[in-house]
């Protein structure tokens, strides 16, 4: 899939900008603070209806204005005419989504239409922060390949909320709790099966890509799925055994909401051992692997947003990464302060360069 037209109004320092991206590499170049990341945020808004930098809408809307708006013409499938998507965000955090001229209420529709992979400085959290980010990473993949994922995920979270509410109430009827537990266990099994299936596909693809990026270095990297409770034990037994402790804490301590994709290097937490540059390569391999699996199972491609791609990487790794990205055959949006860094990186792809200065495209 690709975006063939993008129009941005009152987003951060961008008053108004209009882009006609190519379906290959779109290099966004400009000095610090010119608006490069803001343009990526605009594209992200089209697919997610939120920013990747902040949860506060007020900082997103250009100061002095009331609303930020992004319009995009999206080619979801080559065989179909482009779809127009409009997302606007007001100062108080409300958003309005329009797909092909009609208002839509849920962001899942956008997620499906505009699948985005983002690699930016904060993506380091995928390795260095808690399981939350890695769970979201896994679930992005599962969402796009398993049709019933979203429904199961929503139902599971509803059960979890109800169970936690009961736990906090303290005095609970065991029979009422048992009803929620049964449902919780049932959805947990389906969700976990889907996640496991996905990770089994991800693993070989990730290892292959990583070895192409780093050659024999980092061959001690391993990824492993943790389902959210001890392997080979039944969740319903774990819930029963942990009930007293859950009651004390007021929340459910075991289940798929605790799942993780553990990334280890030589048996230890990878983020504790690897350099920033090495971490970036591992993260890129994970995200590119996800793009491959997405294409394989849907016949579509996703869009890659790569903010400050060159940061932390020397020339050798930068060139290997660019080569790998070009094999994806996806639309790429890459920001850089220096255009020259990528002058020889894309011999076989369409390249379009956009120069940004003080929020304006030149
Ligand atoms: N709500 C806002 N209104 C106006 N300007 C903003 C707003 N939020 C951020 N900025 C400014 O927008 C500029 C662009 O930032 P950014 O896109 O991160 O730059 P780059 O990625 O090119 O370094 C910064 O100078 C920042 O101060
Ligand atoms: Mg930036």
């Amino acid at each position: 899939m690709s975006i063939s037209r993008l129009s941005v109004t009152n987003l951060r320092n961008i008053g108004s900008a209009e882009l006609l991206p190519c379906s290959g590499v779109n290099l966004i170049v400009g000095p610090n603070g010119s608006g490069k990341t803001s343009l990526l945020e605009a594209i992200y808004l089209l697919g997610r209806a939120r920013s990747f930098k902040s949860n506060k809408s007020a900082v997103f809307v250009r100061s002095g204005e009331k609303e930020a708006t992004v319009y995009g013409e999206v080619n979801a499938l080559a065989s179909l005419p482009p779809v127009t998507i409009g997302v606007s965000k007001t100062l108080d955090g409300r958003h309005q989504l329009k797909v092909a001229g009609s208002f839509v209420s849920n962001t899942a529709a956008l997620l499906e239409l505009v699948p985005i992979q983002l690699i930016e400085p904060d993506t380091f959290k995928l390795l260095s922060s808690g399981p939350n980010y890695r769970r979201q990473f896994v679930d992005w993949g599962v969402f796009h390949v398993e049709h019933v994922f979203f429904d199961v995920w929503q139902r599971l979270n509803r059960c979890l909320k109800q169970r936690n509410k009961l736990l906090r109430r303290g005095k609970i009827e065991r029979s009422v709790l048992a009803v929620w537990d049964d449902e919780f266990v049932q959805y947990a099994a389906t969700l976990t099966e889907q996640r496991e299936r996905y990770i089994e596909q991800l693993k070989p693809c990730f290892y292959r890509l990583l070895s192409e990026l780093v050659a024999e270095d980092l061959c001690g990297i391993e990824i492993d799925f943790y389902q959210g409770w001890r392997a080979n034990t039944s969740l319903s037994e774990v819930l029963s055994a942990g009930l007293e402790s859950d009651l004390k804490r007021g929340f459910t301590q075991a289940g798929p909401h605790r799942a993780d994709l553990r990334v280890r290097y030589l048996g230890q937490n990878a983020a504790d051992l690897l350099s920033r540059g090495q971490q970036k390569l591992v993260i890129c391999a994970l995200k590119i692997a996800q793009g491959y699996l997405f294409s394989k199972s849907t016949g579509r491609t996703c869009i890659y947003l790569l903010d400050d791609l060159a940061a932390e990487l020397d020339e050798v790794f930068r060139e290997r990464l660019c080569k790998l990205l070009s094999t994806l055959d996806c639309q790429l949006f890459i920001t850089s302060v220096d255009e020259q860094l990528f002058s020889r990186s894309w011999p076989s792809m369409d390249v379009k360069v956009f120069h940004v200065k003080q929020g304006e495209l030149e």
Side-chain angles (χ1 to χ4, degrees):
M1 72 142 304
S2 63
I3 295 174
S4 49
R5 177 185 290 271
L6 186 75
S7 141
V8 184
T9 314
N10 295 334
L11 189 150
R12 297 215 184 256
N13 70 336
I14 303 169
S16 155
E18 181 94 25
L19 273 81
L20 300 174
C22 71
S23 60
V25 182
N26 297 279
L27 196 56
I28 301 168
V29 183
N32 286 334
S34 56
K36 303 180 297 295
T37 302
S38 305
L39 280 173
L40 297 192
E41 276 190 288
I43 299 171
Y44 194 82
L45 190 71
L46 272 190
R48 293 293 188 87
R50 62 180 174 84
S51 159
F52 58 78
K53 278 181 72 180
S54 170
N55 290 327
K56 297 182 213 132
S57 283
V59 298
F60 199 61
V61 179
R62 192 179 194 212
S63 51
E65 302 292 339
K66 294 193 179 76
E67 186 175 75
T69 311
V70 181
Y71 276 103
E73 268 177 31
V74 172
N75 306 279
L77 274 175
S79 56
L80 296 174
V83 181
T84 312
I85 299 180
V87 180
S88 61
K89 199 121 188 151
T90 51
L91 281 172
D92 60 7
R94 279 178 303 142
H95 59 234
Q96 211 165 56
L97 321 175
K98 249 182 170 180
V99 176
S102 306
F103 288 109
V104 291
S105 57
N106 77 4
T107 46
L110 293 189
L111 209 69
E112 189 127 26
L113 264 174
V114 194
I116 290 175
Q117 284 287 348
L118 171 72
I119 300 175
E120 50 102 31
D122 236 21
T123 316
F124 279 101
K125 284 187 180 157
L126 192 58
L127 295 190
S128 60
S129 276
N132 202 6
Y133 289 91
R134 290 182 293 277
R135 221 165 28 241
Q136 276 173 23
F137 167 82
V138 172
D139 287 346
W140 185 97
V142 186
F143 171 85
H144 284 288
V145 302
E146 300 272 357
H147 293 297
V148 294
F149 167 79
F150 193 54
D151 184 49
V152 175
W153 184 85
Q154 278 182 318
R155 286 167 191 267
L156 180 101
N157 280 310
R158 214 165 43 223
C159 279
L160 184 64
K161 250 192 190 152
Q162 291 297 339
R163 190 177 194 272
N164 288 343
K165 217 159 125 187
L166 280 177
L167 290 172
R168 279 194 297 274
R169 211 183 279 165
K171 228 179 87 194
I172 47 175
E173 293 244 4
R174 298 290 159 121
S175 59
V176 178
L177 188 71
V179 174
W180 288 111
D181 278 7
D182 282 351
E183 217 175 302
F184 184 65
V185 167
Q186 183 198 327
Y187 293 129
T190 311
L191 191 78
T192 302
E193 229 172 77
Q194 293 180 348
R195 283 174 172 167
E196 275 171 347
R197 210 163 31 232
Y198 182 71
I199 287 162
E200 279 321 300
Q201 292 180 56
L202 186 77
K203 271 185 185 175
C205 192
F206 164 72
Y207 292 134
R208 177 176 61 79
L209 292 168
L210 189 67
S211 72
E212 281 179 39
L213 270 179
V214 298
E216 63 277 11
D217 301 353
L218 300 187
C219 59
I221 288 273
E222 269 181 291
I223 54 171
D224 254 312
F225 178 57
Y226 168 66
Q227 62 180 353
W229 68 98
R230 201 146 60 88
N232 306 317
T233 51
S234 100
L235 179 58
S236 83
E237 278 169 28
V238 172
L239 289 177
S240 304
L243 182 58
E244 286 309 316
S245 167
D246 280 358
L247 276 166
K248 230 179 262 164
R249 295 182 180 214
F251 64 89
T252 309
Q253 295 170 83
H257 57 295
R258 286 298 182 90
D260 194 0
L261 181 71
R262 290 175 174 162
V263 186
R264 291 205 181 84
Y265 181 55
L266 305 175
Q268 301 206 51
N269 183 20
D272 295 335
L273 292 190
L274 301 183
S275 75
R276 294 274 290 180
Q278 288 173 319
Q279 288 184 47
K280 183 159 181 171
L281 294 168
V282 171
I283 289 166
C284 288
L286 280 168
K287 298 242 164 179
I288 298 174
Q290 199 154 58
Y292 267 109
L293 292 189
F294 175 82
S295 298
K296 206 173 114 191
S297 60
T298 63
R300 299 167 61 204
T301 56
C302 33
I303 292 179
Y304 276 76
L305 307 182
L306 304 134
D307 198 16
D308 207 357
L309 179 62
E312 334 260 357
L313 301 177
D314 63 30
E315 192 183 348
V316 173
F317 287 124
R318 193 174 67 233
E319 288 305 316
R320 281 192 203 156
L321 181 57
C322 290
K323 198 169 154 207
L324 216 54
L325 284 166
S326 56
T327 62
L328 274 170
D329 215 10
C330 285
Q331 187 176 37
L332 312 174
F333 290 87
I334 297 168
T335 69
S336 177
V337 280
D338 185 357
E339 184 181 347
Q340 291 312 313
L341 287 180
F342 296 99
S343 57
R344 284 173 297 137
S345 306
W346 320 100
S348 60
M349 285 183 88
D350 280 348
V351 181
K352 212 164 169 178
V353 183
F354 298 91
H355 291 273
V356 203
K357 208 171 169 187
Q358 295 179 341
E360 291 192 15
L361 285 169
E362 291 188 323

